[in-house]
Amino acid sequence: MTRPDPARYRTNNWKSYNEALKRRGSLLIWLDKDMTWLAPKAGGNGRPPVFSDASVQFCLMVKVLFGLPLRQTTGMVASILSMAGLDWPVPDFSTLSRRQKRITVQISNRRASGPLNLLVDSTGIKFLGDGEWLARKHGTQRRRQYRKVHLAMDTATGDIRAVEFTSSDKGDSPVLPLLLDQIPADEQIGTVTGDGAFDTRRCHSAILERGGTAIIPIRKNGRRWRENCPAARARNEILKATQRLGRAVWKRWSGYHARSRIEAKMRCLKSFGERIASRDPDRQTAEVQIRVALMNRFNALGTAEIERVA
């Protein structure tokens, strides 16, 4: 039996994608001189904030992008404003640390025409513990601690549309409804693709409530559910198709292998660092959201359009 030829792929927009890759490495930082840098007066009790959320998010994005501590971040932001000819004040490191705990990060994204097709997955990210080299050399001194990042990605644009940050003992299936709640109610959901961890009644029900179709493989020990709800009937249809076609054929037929794109997006998330610097859960959540905002900004510059030719 001869071995089949390997698949070949072609990039259709290589010229524009090449320019996008060069722009990602550009050191140009665009500042809108009309942006609200100082916080408007709220008129409430207590001392009003000096800096707006937009200015704090800008500083935190510089911190995460260049991997700087807070004090070095303030120095770099001051240099950027000076080179831009702006005499705006710069928040000090204690202000950034305090505001990071309660800031609402604005994550930009693009909306493609047609229903929204989502890819969902999760990954662990370290925030405490010895590094790999130190553990091999001297043994582990303290237990490593992880958090979990749950993402939902749009297959058409490649943007992250929803993000949740939980403890390491939190499963994937309880978080899926929270991810779907972040999608605007007026936006139609087409398909939701996830691995076998989402093969639960809770996930199938949440997807059907948003009018979507689940592309979730049946667990290897999965059995037929009692059809007492629409979610059970939809899940049993996947089971019937898997038994009739076979697991491998069903994955190709349903387009399940597109889920590899969200796994690649997890690698992009960790390109900002294998661990997060913050220790407080609220600050950790803001740091992860800042990473997602940066990923969407880079992605908006241009992505590759790849098709299979053989």
Side-chain angles (χ1 to χ4, degrees):
M1 183 176 179
T2 60
R3 185 176 181 179
D5 296 331
R8 294 189 301 112
Y9 298 89
R10 178 177 58 195
T11 303
N12 294 329
N13 63 333
W14 173 248
K15 184 176 180 180
S16 60
Y17 181 51
N18 185 51
E19 293 297 326
L21 292 178
K22 291 192 294 184
R23 288 196 299 270
R24 292 182 186 183
S26 175
L27 290 178
L28 290 177
I29 298 178
W30 298 93
L31 285 171
D32 185 5
K33 295 185 178 181
D34 296 329
M35 71 177 293
T36 305
W37 186 262
L38 300 178
K41 295 183 179 180
N45 297 328
R47 179 184 177 185
V50 178
F51 300 94
S52 64
D53 285 347
S55 60
V56 173
Q57 179 171 338
F58 173 78
C59 296
L60 293 178
M61 291 178 75
V62 171
K63 173 186 181 297
V64 172
L65 181 60
F66 296 99
L68 301 174
L70 286 175
R71 288 177 174 84
Q72 295 181 17
T73 300
T74 58
M76 187 168 187
V77 172
S79 300
I80 293 174
L81 296 179
S82 176
M83 289 185 291
L86 301 173
D87 58 350
W88 295 344
V90 179
D92 54 51
F93 70 94
S94 61
T95 299
L96 292 178
S97 178
R98 184 176 63 257
R99 294 285 296 276
Q100 182 179 350
K101 188 174 183 178
R102 62 177 189 270
I103 188 176
T104 301
V105 179
Q106 300 297 323
I107 302 176
S108 61
N109 56 69
R110 298 167 295 169
R111 294 181 60 170
S113 59
L116 174 63
N117 299 318
L118 294 174
L119 305 174
V120 294
D121 202 0
S122 65
T123 186
I125 189 166
K126 184 169 58 178
F127 75 93
L128 188 66
D130 299 328
E132 284 73 10
W133 178 88
L134 186 61
R136 290 197 305 267
K137 188 73 173 178
H138 303 288
T140 303
Q141 304 296 325
R142 53 184 175 178
R143 185 180 179 182
R144 298 181 185 178
Q145 297 188 33
Y146 291 83
R147 301 284 187 189
K148 289 186 71 174
V149 182
H150 307 260
L151 300 179
M153 187 186 81
D154 182 4
T155 58
T157 62
D159 290 347
I160 301 298
R161 296 299 308 272
V163 55
E164 283 289 336
F165 189 68
T166 64
S167 58
S168 59
D169 58 350
K170 193 77 169 180
D172 290 350
S173 61
V175 181
L176 179 60
L178 302 178
L179 293 174
L180 296 180
D181 289 341
Q182 297 183 25
I183 306 300
D186 61 343
E187 191 168 1
Q188 180 183 1
I189 295 180
T191 60
V192 179
T193 305
D195 57 19
F198 299 96
D199 185 26
T200 63
R201 290 180 181 269
R202 180 184 303 174
C203 293
H204 284 279
S205 299
I207 294 172
L208 284 179
E209 287 176 1
R210 293 300 305 268
T213 302
I215 303 179
I216 299 173
I218 306 299
R219 300 185 184 186
K220 292 186 178 181
N221 60 346
R223 298 182 179 181
R224 182 182 178 86
W225 289 353
R226 185 162 58 93
E227 296 186 357
N228 55 357
C229 62
R233 290 190 290 269
R235 188 263 185 186
N236 288 341
E237 290 297 326
I238 299 177
L239 178 61
K240 292 178 183 178
T242 303
Q243 293 174 342
R244 183 169 57 251
L245 301 175
R247 194 176 184 87
V249 176
W250 176 85
K251 287 183 177 181
R252 292 197 299 269
W253 170 75
S254 62
Y256 171 77
H257 292 299
R259 200 182 64 85
S260 60
R261 295 180 56 191
I262 187 66
E263 295 177 351
K265 190 65 70 171
M266 296 295 184
R267 186 176 58 191
C268 296
L269 179 76
K270 294 185 178 182
S271 64
F272 294 102
E274 290 290 333
R275 69 167 66 202
I276 47 181
S278 304
R279 296 292 179 264
D280 181 80
D282 293 333
R283 294 186 178 93
Q284 290 173 349
T285 302
E287 184 174 342
V288 170
Q289 292 175 346
I290 289 291
R291 291 190 181 194
V292 172
L294 287 170
M295 289 164 54
N296 285 358
R297 287 290 184 91
F298 282 128
N299 196 53
L301 295 176
T303 55
E305 298 177 1
I306 302 175
E307 67 173 354
R308 183 170 178 172
V309 296

